[in-house]
Structure formats: structure tokens, C-alpha cells
Amino acid sequence: QQQVKQSPQSLIVQKGGISIINCAYENTAFDYFPWYQQFPGKGPALLIAIRPDVSEKKEGRFTISFNKSAKQFSLHIMDSQPGDSATYFCAASMTRYNQGGKLIFGQGTELSVKP
Amino acid sequence: DVKVTQSSRYLVKRTGEKVFLECVQDMDHENMFWYRQDPGLGLRLIYFSYDVKMKEKGDIPEGYSVSREKKERFSLILESASTNQTSMYLCASSSRSGAGELFFGEGSRLTVL
């Protein structure tokens, strides 16, 4: 019940295309859903995050769509660029139970954007 | 600029050796974490700490221990390294009052022969 399942494991997109990565969770106590971006040789860094009281959050070319009833959320990267090539992780946590920061991560998606 | 520093980027150890991975953060964060990253498995939580001298087991604590004697420093210890502990180890910190964002170090890649 603590798992977060992420798909696909790898993704190849042409420059200018839309990249879509999906995650699903079981635990309805999760109340914070971030996405992290990791470049080779670097640690993951927060990209964008959402709480379940909204269905969508957009920051530039990055959008999180959240479906509370289906217990799913996804990352959309519009106009994908070669510089977006990285590994992306979805995650979830229960901040209301004083476990803020204890993130459960998905399996990761390796995105490659071809010029 | 906020920073989490992991002392060793690359280590090669032999089976049975004791291994110390050190992590220091300069953000005065209360929370610190050790994750292990393996391809296809994502990041899995080994141990975490919400305060000095406090520690709690994560999802995969077996074969590991931790130490937090000072607020800024969180150490991961492999008492007797085994080949299945070959992995990338990531340290992270977060503020108790923050929104939950984790700040990660650049990782320590450990190879156990």
C-alpha cells in the first residue's frame, strides 16, 4: 500500500513533442505528490509538486495532472527539448502525519529527447 | 546556495569491510535521509532522522545503520559490506517547517567486490 508505481521505464520523444509519464498510488493518506528530475552524475532535484486539492498544476512547460478518484497523477512535458533528457521520479508522502520529507518514490523514467 | 555534501563520490570496498558514508548539510534542516538508487527500482529509503540522535528505519534497513550526532551530519554505516550493497547512495535533507521538498547530495557510488 506504500508503493508508487511509475511507467514507462524509458521514453524516447522527438524534439518539440509531448512527454508523458504516469504514476499510480494506493495509500489515500498521501497528500503531497512531487516530481524530481535527475541529470547524470547529479542528485535528484524538485521539478514540480501538487497537493490533492487541485487537479492540475502548470509551471512553464511542465504540468502535473492529478486524478484523486483514480489515484493517479502524471507529468506532461510540452515542447520537449534535448535538455529535458534526464531521469524523472514521481513520489508521494504523508505530510499531515508529520512525515513530511519521507518520500516514497516511483521506479523512475529515463527520458531521451531526440533532436 | 543550499548544499548537501556527500564526502565520497566513488568508493570500492571488499566484501566484509566496514563502510562509512558521510553526509553534511548547510541548511540547518531538521530532517535527513539516506536513500539507495538502483536501476528499475527507483529510490528506496534506508534510514531517516528527524532530529539529532534520532533515527528511524526506512523500507530497506537490513545491513545498514546510521548515526546522527550533530544536526548537520548524517552518516550511513555498512557494518560488513556485501556485493548486493553495490549501489548509488543518496543523502537528502528537508526542513520540518517546509513544504516537504528534499534537497539531495550528488550521491556516493559504492562498489563492493
Side-chain angles (χ1 to χ4, degrees), chain A residues 70-81:
Chain A
K71 292 186 282 186
Q72 294 177 348
F73 58 111
S74 60
L75 176 70
H76 295 235
I77 306 174
M78 311 301 287
D79 187 26
S80 299
Q81 299 297 313

Side-chain angles (χ1 to χ4, degrees), chain B residues 25-79:
Chain B
Q25 51 95 3
D26 65 1
M27 296 166 280
D28 201 35
H29 283 168
E30 295 84 4
N31 308 329
M32 296 190 75
F33 306 82
W34 275 106
Y35 283 89
R36 171 177 171 161
Q37 181 177 4
D38 299 288
L41 297 177
L43 280 69
R44 294 178 292 167
L45 183 62
I46 305 172
Y47 266 97
F48 60 104
S49 169
Y50 286 148
D51 205 345
V52 177
K53 297 202 187 280
M54 234 212 66
K55 61 184 178 184
E56 290 193 41
K57 294 180 180 179
D59 300 317
I60 52 164
E62 297 78 19
Y64 304 95
S65 63
V66 290
S67 172
R68 193 166 181 200
E69 296 296 319
K70 294 184 177 182
K71 188 177 184 180
E72 67 272 17
R73 188 179 298 270
F74 193 35
S75 303
L76 181 69
I77 303 155
L78 288 67
E79 293 289 342

